[in-house]
């Protein structure tokens, strides 16, 4: 098993590394950057490419052109793509971030797996105080008839704009009409899965993100210590859907 986590040297993806390692073994998890993708690292030996959270514009700036084409070629040939938060935005046809507000971003995404729009942040969960995300918040998802907790950090609602083959794996339980929170589909011989929330955060990750120090930039995580129900079950379910 070989799982690659994309890194743009801006977003810190250590929590994702540890979560995937718990579920699939740390010896299977590796980081990959844009230069390595351009050099041809995405071969049939790679079981999964994970496009993590952070700010999608940094990833897009490095992957524009040939690197995005190589990602699509990899998926089309039988690879798998897991997009989390920013990585989910990138997997949609169009991104609307903070539309009509000071930090608005509207762009077309070349990966374009999901036939529709990624709209965020979700105003019921957080406001766009910057171009990157929102404060951390635990939200409720509906997955296979069960209500589960998941960490929200500025993710999107998936709004289809045309007919396309995709499946809704999870919905936002607390929002009117329960819009899609996690979607899945096929691209060529491969598959893609886009998650608005961060399934890699369990209660241990939340505890490690809580700092009682002067100038704490992660004060929002201090409010999440009462969320012991956060676990990696959802991430494990998503990996099983992609990898078996």
């Amino acid at each position: 098993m070989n799982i690659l986590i994309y890194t743009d040297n801006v977003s810190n993806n250590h929590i994702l590394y540890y979560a995937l390692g718990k579920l699939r073994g740390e010896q299977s998890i590796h980081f990959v950057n844009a230069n390595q993708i351009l050099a041809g690292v995405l071969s049939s030996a790679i079981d999964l490419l994970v496009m993590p959270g952070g700010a999608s514009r940094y990833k897009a700036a490095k992957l524009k052109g040939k690197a995005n084409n190589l990602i699509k070629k990899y998926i089309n040939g039988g690879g798998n793509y897991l997009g989390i938060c920013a990585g989910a935005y990138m997997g949609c046809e169009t991104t609307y971030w903070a539309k009509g507000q000071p930090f608005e971003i509207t762009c077309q995404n070349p990966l374009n797996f999901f036939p529709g729009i990624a709209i965020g942040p979700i105003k019921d969960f957080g406001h766009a105080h910057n171009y990157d995300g929102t404060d951390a918040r635990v939200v409720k998802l509906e997955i296979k008839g069960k209500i589960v907790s998941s960490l929200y950090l500025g993710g999107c609602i998936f709004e289809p704009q045309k007919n396309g083959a995709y499946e809704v794996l999870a919905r936002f339980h607390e929002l009117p009409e329960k819009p899609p929170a996690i979607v899945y589909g096929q691209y060529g011989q491969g598959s893609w899965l886009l998650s608005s929330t961060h399934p890699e955060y369990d209660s241990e990750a939340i505890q490690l993100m809580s700092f009682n120090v002067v100038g704490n930039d992660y004060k929002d995580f201090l409010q999440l210590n009462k969320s012991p129900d956060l676990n990696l079950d959802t991430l494990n379910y998503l990996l099983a859907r992609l990898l078996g």
Side-chain angles (χ1 to χ4, degrees), residues 46-174:
I46 304 304
D47 299 287
L48 175 66
L49 173 64
V50 183
M51 193 64 66
S56 62
R57 66 188 189 279
Y58 293 114
K59 299 172 178 59
K62 295 295 182 184
L63 295 172
K64 62 183 179 182
K66 184 179 178 181
N68 277 319
N69 291 335
L70 288 170
I71 292 173
K72 297 184 78 170
K73 180 180 178 181
Y74 159 72
I75 307 301
N76 186 63
N80 298 289
Y81 176 97
L82 172 59
I84 296 175
C85 198
Y89 279 96
M90 294 174 66
C92 295
E93 181 180 27
T94 307
T95 289
Y96 288 157
W97 171 264
K99 191 173 183 180
Q101 301 174 46
F103 298 101
E104 178 176 348
I105 298 174
T106 300
C107 64
Q108 302 297 309
N109 300 309
L111 293 182
N112 191 13
F113 298 129
F114 176 74
I117 303 173
I119 303 174
I122 301 171
K123 62 181 181 180
D124 296 71
F125 298 153
H127 298 283
H129 301 302
N130 52 54
Y131 291 108
D132 297 346
T134 65
D135 288 346
R137 173 172 173 160
V138 175
V139 300
K140 299 295 184 182
L141 304 182
E142 289 187 16
I143 301 179
K144 299 177 67 175
K146 295 177 59 178
I147 308 301
V148 302
S149 296
S150 194
L151 184 73
Y152 178 83
L153 277 169
C156 63
I157 288 173
F158 300 100
E159 184 176 291
Q161 294 295 294
K162 55 188 177 183
N163 293 330
Y166 69 92
E167 181 181 349
V168 177
L169 299 186
R171 295 183 178 275
F172 286 107
H173 175 71
E174 299 155 293

Side-chain angles (χ1 to χ4, degrees), residues 16-75:
L16 181 55
Y17 172 84
Y18 290 126
L20 290 170
K22 287 179 182 178
L23 298 175
R24 296 284 168 153
E26 291 185 3
Q27 71 278 4
S28 302
I29 317 302
H30 313 277
F31 289 101
V32 64
N33 60 35
N35 291 342
Q36 292 170 307
I37 290 176
L38 288 169
V41 72
L42 292 178
S43 70
S44 59
I46 304 304
D47 299 287
L48 175 66
L49 173 64
V50 183
M51 193 64 66
S56 62
R57 66 188 189 279
Y58 293 114
K59 299 172 178 59
K62 295 295 182 184
L63 295 172
K64 62 183 179 182
K66 184 179 178 181
N68 277 319
N69 291 335
L70 288 170
I71 292 173
K72 297 184 78 170
K73 180 180 178 181
Y74 159 72
I75 307 301

